[in-house]
Amino acid sequence: MQVDRVRLNILDLPIDAVSRQEAAGTVADALSGGDAMAIVTINAEMAMAARLDPRLAATIRRAGLVLPDGSGVVWAARRRGVKVKKIAGVDFIHEIAEQCIRAGRGMFLLGAGPGVADEAARALADRHPGLAVVGTADGYFSPEAEAELCERIREARPGALLVALGVPRQEYWISDHQQELDVPVCMGIGGSLDVLSGRVRRAPPWMVSAHLEWLFRLIKEPWRWRRMASALPAFVLAALASERQERYTGPGR
Ligand code: UDP
């Protein structure tokens, strides 16, 4: 499915204004012989990290699909008059699973603590009959074990590789290895394997629809407070400042 995507530029980073269905269509394209692509799910925290980390910014700019995964980025996109809906990485995994089944390709899960990816694989297979999880590996491998891990992934020939190593390591890892692994679709998924395995609880649906998932996470994982508390207001201020500047100089790239 060919999709005319609106790609927004917010703080010099791309954000794709796509529906879930359109995003799934680009995954289907990649799985059926189109260009391989990395999927990034971006939120305010990641956007602010990218301002200080040129390697992360470049990796996001090269991604085939950049999904808005946070209330801050959705707000910034809507201020530009584009109606964008949040697409959380942890939800989009299920679209990828369905597209893998349709394309007759498997999925490989990499990351999180020992045993977590296996539990997540079982949960995914239960929810998506016909899904082949063709391999799993935890995310605490040594640099010496990396070559062997890459060999395992290559031999498993997955259509999609989900990488849960945390930001920005998972984005770097995908960017460094996707080509040699020859996997059509790779996505960084943060803590999603912990959620899929049932070890970490997700916010209740009412909090998700009230855009309060960040608050739930903050209550559950208070050590995130410093990182999150500084990122969201800083993102809002930076987005407003760049809007003001664009009014004088015209939109950026
Ligand atoms: N992780 C890992 N290897 C590491 C560091 C982290 O596999 O060396 C995993 C960790 O167990 C967790 C995920 O990466 O499952 C990161 O989750 P987090 O919620 O911190 O992601 P982020 O906030 O970066 O999206």
Side-chain angles (χ1 to χ4, degrees):
M1 181 171 81
Q2 203 56 43
V3 177
D4 284 331
R5 253 186 291 162
V6 176
R7 178 159 269 207
L8 298 166
N9 177 350
I10 291 172
L11 297 183
D12 275 337
L13 297 170
I15 296 182
D16 290 314
V18 281
S19 66
R20 233 175 116 120
Q21 211 182 1
E22 288 166 342
T26 64
V27 170
D29 285 345
L31 287 174
S32 59
D35 292 340
M37 69 165 176
I39 305 174
V40 167
T41 64
I42 192 168
N43 60 14
E45 221 179 300
M46 190 181 195
M48 293 317 285
R51 298 198 99 192
L52 303 172
D53 180 347
R55 185 178 171 199
L56 178 59
T59 307
I60 298 170
R61 288 185 196 121
R62 275 198 307 272
L65 196 56
V66 183
L67 300 178
D69 184 5
S71 306
V73 290
V74 167
W75 165 85
R78 288 189 178 186
R79 280 188 60 86
R80 281 154 196 257
V82 181
K83 211 161 158 40
V84 168
K85 275 202 178 144
K86 173 173 162 167
I87 302 179
V90 66
D91 292 327
F92 197 62
I93 288 172
H94 299 293
E95 298 292 352
I96 298 178
E98 287 300 318
Q99 296 307 326
C100 281
I101 295 170
R102 281 194 190 185
R105 300 291 305 260
M107 189 183 250
F108 197 108
L109 306 178
L110 166 63
V116 176
D118 289 324
E119 290 167 23
R122 277 194 288 276
L124 275 174
D126 282 350
R127 181 155 163 187
H128 301 279
L131 176 68
V133 179
V134 292
T136 62
D138 72 63
Y140 294 86
F141 50 88
S142 64
E144 301 76 53
E146 193 167 83
E148 201 185 311
L149 169 65
C150 288
E151 198 44 43
R152 267 187 63 205
I153 299 173
R154 271 186 72 84
E155 279 176 7
R157 293 187 43 77
L161 169 65
L162 307 184
V163 183
L165 297 174
V167 175
R169 193 173 155 216
Q170 61 198 21
E171 280 71 30
Y172 296 160
W173 204 88
I174 289 170
S175 156
D176 288 346
H177 297 285
Q178 183 167 10
Q179 208 172 358
E180 65 169 288
L181 296 176
D182 197 19
V183 179
V185 176
C186 292
M187 177 163 85
I189 57 167
S192 300
L193 294 181
D194 299 294
V195 173
L196 290 173
S197 69
R199 292 193 186 201
V200 168
R201 209 159 67 80
R202 220 183 148 194
W206 71 266
M207 278 186 113
V208 175
S209 51
H211 302 288
L212 290 175
E213 200 162 0
W214 60 272
L215 180 62
F216 180 86
R217 213 153 173 207
L218 207 53
I219 295 164
K220 290 279 178 193
E221 303 168 31
W223 60 89
R224 290 179 181 277
W225 174 248
R226 195 189 289 266
R227 221 168 75 179
M228 278 172 68
S230 59
L232 191 58
F235 174 82
V236 168
L237 290 175
L240 290 174
S242 92
E243 267 179 35
R244 242 192 332 269
Q245 193 178 353
E246 279 173 23
R247 243 176 270 137
Y248 292 113
T249 59
R253 272 169 293 140

